[in-house]
Amino acid sequence: MSIPSKKAYYHLPGMFEFFELYRRFIPLFYEHREYFYEWCDIGSVYGAPSDCIWGGGRIELSDYNPNEVLGFYNSYNISGRLTFSNSFISEEHLSDIKCNSICELFSGSKVNNAVIVSSDILIEHIKKNYPNLYLVSSTTKVLTDFEDFLNELNRLDFKYVVPDFRLNKSFDLFWTDKISEYIPGFMEELNIELWKLGVTAKTQHNEAAPAQHELAPIFSTVNIETDHNQLVM
C-alpha cells in the first residue's frame, strides 16, 4: 500500500475543557498509528482558559494549569491556539494581566503556538509584544462574501484564515487551478448525458489527487438526490 503524499490536519477544540480526554487520546493516537488512517494528523488544539476577557464570551469549564496543558500538547509538537477572538476589545483591555501572561507563556515555547484573533487592536498588540506567536484570522469575523475572504487571505498579518462555514456552499471557488484543456470536453459530454436523465450536474473542479476531477448535482431533496447520485455512478 502506497503512502499518501498529503495529509489532512485536524484542529481540535477545547484545549483546556477537554484536556482530560486529550491526555488519554493523544498518546494513543501517536503510539498506535495502526488504529488510525496514515493520512490524518493533529494540526493544533485551540481554546482558552476560563475568564479571559480577550476570549469574547468563550467558556471552558476547567481549572487546569496552563503550564501543564501547554507542556503536554507541545511535548507532541502540537501547536496550541488561543481563541482570543473578542471583536469588542478596546485599548483599556490590552493591559489585562491574565491574558498577557497566557500569551507570554505560549510565546516562550519551543513549539510555534498561535492566537486566533478577530480584533485589529489585539492583532497589533500581539504583533508588537509577542512576535513569536503566529496569528489566525477567526471565523467569528463572519466573512460570508468570497471577495472579503480573499482580501483576508492577502493580509500579511495571518498565517492561516478560517473561512466562514457559509462558504461551504461556494466550495468550487476554492479551487483556483484551471482544469486541463483535455478535460472540459469530456465533462461537457458527461453533463449533457446526465441532463438527459434529469440529473442537474453543475459543479466541476480539480481534485487534490493527480488526474482526478469532481462533479456534483445541484442540491435538491434527499430522495431525488439519492437517485441522482446513483445515476451518476
Side-chain angles (χ1 to χ4, degrees):
M1 178 175 162
S2 61
I3 299 176
S5 59
K6 295 184 178 181
K7 283 190 175 184
Y9 289 92
Y10 290 82
H11 302 274
L12 308 179
M15 175 163 46
F16 291 84
E17 185 177 8
F18 302 146
F19 181 57
E20 198 64 35
L21 168 65
Y22 290 148
R23 64 179 176 183
R24 287 165 172 76
F25 169 74
I26 290 175
L28 177 71
F29 180 83
Y30 285 110
E31 293 169 14
H32 293 279
R33 289 296 294 163
E34 69 273 17
Y35 298 164
F36 304 92
Y37 290 115
E38 57 188 1
W39 48 261
C40 65
D41 207 342
I42 299 173
S44 72
V45 182
Y46 60 91
S50 57
D51 300 325
C52 285
I53 194 169
W54 294 356
R58 293 179 178 270
I59 299 175
E60 294 207 16
L61 302 177
S62 67
D63 294 318
Y64 292 109
N65 186 299
N67 286 278
E68 178 188 6
V69 172
L70 182 64
F72 170 77
Y73 294 126
N74 284 179
S75 69
Y76 288 92
N77 204 36
I78 297 174
S79 176
R81 295 181 176 180
L82 293 165
T83 50
F84 285 164
S85 51
N86 186 345
S87 58
F88 295 103
I89 290 176
S90 60
E91 293 287 346
E92 63 184 290
H93 300 128
L94 296 180
S95 60
D96 184 82
I97 295 175
K98 183 171 184 176
C99 294
N100 278 286
S101 64
I102 293 292
C103 283
E104 185 174 358
L105 171 65
F106 276 61
S107 179
S109 171
K110 293 181 180 179
V111 176
N112 201 7
N113 299 305
V115 177
I116 303 175
V117 64
S118 177
S119 165
D120 285 335
I121 293 176
L122 186 56
I123 288 172
E124 295 305 316
H125 178 76
I126 293 172
K127 285 168 59 179
K128 177 182 177 181
N129 295 282
Y130 310 104
N132 290 337
L133 295 175
Y134 66 89
L135 298 176
V136 179
S137 175
S138 173
T139 188
T140 60
K141 289 188 174 183
V142 195
L143 300 177
T144 57
D145 182 88
F146 194 75
E147 288 300 320
D148 291 338
F149 172 69
L150 290 180
N151 291 334
E152 193 78 355
L153 284 175
N154 290 327
R155 289 183 60 174
L156 299 179
D157 297 320
F158 304 117
K159 186 173 182 179
Y160 300 103
V161 175
V162 183
D164 189 274
F165 72 94
R166 296 169 187 83
L167 291 177
N168 291 347
K169 297 178 181 179
S170 305
F171 189 71
D172 55 312
L173 296 175
F174 287 86
W175 298 84
T176 56
D177 289 342
K178 293 183 179 179
I179 295 178
S180 166
E181 59 180 309
Y182 302 104
I183 301 303
F186 164 77
M187 299 296 281
E188 181 180 4
E189 184 178 347
L190 176 61
N191 281 339
I192 291 173
E193 294 303 314
L194 289 174
W195 294 339
K196 290 178 182 178
L197 297 173
V199 179
T200 52
K202 178 185 178 183
T203 304
Q204 53 195 47
H205 57 69
N206 290 328
E207 270 291 355
Q212 190 175 26
H213 312 278
E214 182 178 67
L215 64 88
I218 296 175
F219 175 81
S220 184
T221 58
V222 173
N223 289 342
I224 292 175
E225 281 309 302
T226 300
D227 291 341
H228 283 180
N229 278 282
Q230 292 293 329
L231 288 170
V232 171
M233 297 303 294

